[in-house]
Amino acid sequence: MEKNFSLRELNTFGFDVKARYFQELKSMDDIHELTRNPKFIECRDASRILILSGGSNILFSDEFYDGFVVYPNLKGIETLEETDKTVKIRCYCGEVWKDFVDYTVSRKLYRLENLSDIPGKVGAAPVQNIGAYGAEVKDAIYQVHTIDLVSGKTKVFCNEECHFSYRNSVFKELISQRTTHALSQRDDKSLPGGTWHALYMIFAVDFILKKHGELKLDYGNIRNYLISNNITSPTLQDVAATVKAIRAEKLPEVSVIGSVGSFFQNAIVTNEKFLELKECYDNIPSYPTDSAFVKIPSGWLIDKAGWKGYRESHVGVWDKQALVLVHYGGGKPQEILDLMKKIQDSVKEKFGIEINPEVNIV
Ligand code: EPU
């Protein structure tokens, strides 16, 4: 266990946040040992535990995390079962997501190719049901292996039990309940701790991938990109390479400029509200959800509100994709929080729409 540990390398925003306690977990034995660590138990009972994965979807609201950061980093990829049509693969939480996708593509297995190059680790992929270019990880997940850091018992969540939806899952719901509880505790010292019955940590994910599949080419400009590169019968590898190229054009490279990809979720509005907006903005892009609602890209709203390319001291809005907030280095988390608020207020004022962060703020 480390004390006052710098998380600068472990959050892709690159903020120099310190954690009071920090523990990397490389094996099941490490996990069991952790559940007996008195400092861990003390922080757990005070709701001051953070399970950190690739750090590519997290914003610390302070420069000091006064609690215990758990960093699960178990490695390994195993083929569990193979039939004529499918292959089941177990991947441990510490594997890098994009390397895992490359591995499945190199084995000519379908379902993850549109999720190429998303930053982060495998253990975090189910938490916010990562998605891109018309694919979501939920469609490739067979089951999720967790360990309860309270009882030390393992629990397997089958796909249905994960309650996946747009950028959400049962795991994310549990994190937000814990965070809300921790924040209320911070404000009200009289609140008792120790109310958590379970604290699930994902340590492995089982995927079910297809040997023969259909490529998803209809989202964004995948098809146009292929055509302009004279690829008329694309392979799985072509699609993965195309997604990588499109992402590289639009999104900052997190090893160079701090960001968490999409900072905001896309907005979901009623049909009525959408038609009202369409009267003023004929070219407003949208994706249908179910009958009563329409999804509007927040990137378009933020862009139209004039924020694209905006910079204020150490932080700003990426000039190629307004959904992405960036940290140029040397700044503090509060600068991102201030910018977030300004953008939310301005989008609300211009369009009457509230946009919410996609990033987990802790
Ligand atoms: N748009 C603008 N200006 C901008 C950004 C976008 O006008 O600055 C417009 C685009 O022209 C397009 C629409 O908004 O008509 C949608 O933009 P885009 O296709 O770039 O995708 P998105 O909806 O903004 C989502 C995901 C991304 C994912 C892409 C591609 C969310 C919150 N974001 O973005 O996910 O890569 O689709 O599938 O759902 C991430 O989660 O970190 C992430 C990058």
Side-chain angles (χ1 to χ4, degrees):
M1 187 185 79
E2 309 270 355
K3 286 185 185 163
N4 284 324
F5 186 81
S6 171
L7 303 174
R8 195 209 295 261
E9 301 298 323
L10 296 179
N11 73 102
T12 58
F13 254 135
F15 288 118
D16 191 14
V17 172
K18 301 255 184 336
R20 183 178 290 284
Y21 305 110
F22 175 88
Q23 175 81 61
E24 179 175 4
L25 306 172
K26 292 185 177 169
S27 65
M28 294 308 277
D29 283 349
D30 287 354
I31 300 175
H32 290 297
E33 208 173 293
L34 175 79
T35 59
R36 294 189 292 266
N37 177 330
K39 290 290 176 216
F40 172 78
I41 294 170
E42 193 184 306
C43 291
R44 186 190 66 199
D45 291 348
S47 296
R48 299 298 298 159
I49 298 287
L50 172 70
I51 300 172
L52 184 65
S53 182
S56 53
N57 199 40
I58 195 160
L59 173 63
F60 291 94
S61 52
D62 251 319
E63 285 172 278
F64 184 66
Y65 181 76
D66 191 7
F68 202 117
V69 173
V70 176
Y71 182 54
N73 204 14
L74 283 70
K75 304 273 191 195
I77 299 176
E78 295 159 15
T79 299
L80 302 173
E81 190 186 297
E82 192 162 343
T83 68
D84 289 350
K85 292 184 177 154
T86 60
V87 180
K88 278 188 193 151
I89 299 182
R90 176 164 305 161
C91 185
Y92 285 84
C93 59
E95 294 290 342
V96 173
W97 174 260
K98 56 185 186 174
D99 296 346
F100 177 61
V101 174
D102 288 352
Y103 164 79
T104 64
V105 170
S106 74
R107 282 187 63 179
K108 298 200 171 61
L109 298 173
Y110 291 71
R111 273 189 175 155
L112 299 181
E113 58 281 2
N114 290 40
L115 306 178
S116 290
D117 264 8
I118 294 183
K121 296 204 176 188
V122 169
V127 177
Q128 68 148 346
N129 179 25
I130 56 171
Y133 301 99
E136 285 184 312
V137 76
K138 72 175 174 59
D139 297 321
I141 288 179
Y142 177 64
Q143 55 188 18
V144 175
H145 296 264
T146 69
I147 181 156
D148 172 10
L149 297 180
V150 178
S151 68
K153 289 191 184 139
T154 54
K155 175 172 162 63
V156 178
F157 286 75
C158 70
N159 185 299
E160 291 71 30
E161 287 172 309
C162 296
H163 296 167
F164 289 123
S165 59
Y166 170 64
R167 293 296 199 273
N168 207 0
S169 72
V170 69
F171 309 109
K172 188 162 171 179
E173 292 289 340
L174 290 172
I175 292 171
S176 87
Q177 283 170 21
R178 278 209 307 277
T179 313
T180 314
H181 181 75
L183 289 175
S184 65
Q185 271 202 328
R186 206 195 287 172
D187 297 342
D188 180 357
K189 299 277 181 252
S190 67
L191 273 172
T195 50
W196 297 106
H197 303 300
L199 176 56
Y200 296 112
M201 185 186 88
I202 296 171
F203 67 90
V205 184
D206 292 349
F207 295 88
I208 179 156
L209 305 176
K210 298 209 280 189
K211 287 185 171 175
H212 313 279
E214 280 176 21
L215 297 169
K216 285 193 169 73
L217 309 177
D218 292 322
Y219 193 97
N221 47 350
I222 295 187
R223 200 180 287 280
N224 290 343
Y225 191 94
L226 288 163
I227 293 169
S228 60
N229 284 283
N230 297 320
I231 302 171
T232 45
S233 328
T235 62
L236 186 65
Q237 283 83 354
D238 291 329
V239 173
T242 300
V243 167
K244 288 181 186 191
I246 297 174
R247 286 185 71 95
E249 274 173 17
K250 284 191 176 184
L251 300 169
E253 171 53 61
V254 288
S255 58
V256 183
I257 293 182
S259 92
V260 288
S262 302
F263 187 91
F264 296 98
Q265 290 191 14
N266 285 331
I268 296 182
V269 302
T270 60
N271 265 328
E272 207 181 0
K273 174 74 190 170
F274 177 68
L275 292 175
E276 194 186 293
L277 286 166
K278 189 120 179 95
E279 298 247 310
C280 309
Y281 307 95
D282 192 34
N283 62 348
I284 183 168
S286 65
Y287 312 110
T289 55
D290 54 43
S291 55
F293 298 96
V294 178
K295 199 193 283 178
I296 301 179
S298 294
W300 184 89
L301 297 168
I302 298 166
D303 188 353
K304 274 275 171 269
W307 290 97
K308 199 167 179 171
Y310 174 85
R311 179 167 179 173
E312 192 174 294
S313 189
H314 309 98
V315 299
V317 180
W318 190 236
D319 61 355
K320 298 183 192 76
Q321 163 58 289
L323 198 52
V324 177
L325 303 192
V326 291
H327 169 220
Y328 292 99
K332 297 191 186 322
Q334 191 57 44
E335 293 175 64
I336 289 281
L337 289 170
D338 292 344
L339 179 59
M340 168 185 94
K341 180 83 175 61
K342 283 187 202 169
I343 294 172
Q344 284 175 315
D345 289 350
S346 117
V347 167
K348 173 89 186 161
E349 197 187 313
K350 188 168 170 73
F351 300 102
I353 295 178
E354 275 172 31
I355 53 170
N356 297 313
E358 178 189 86
V359 61
N360 295 312
I361 301 175
V362 294

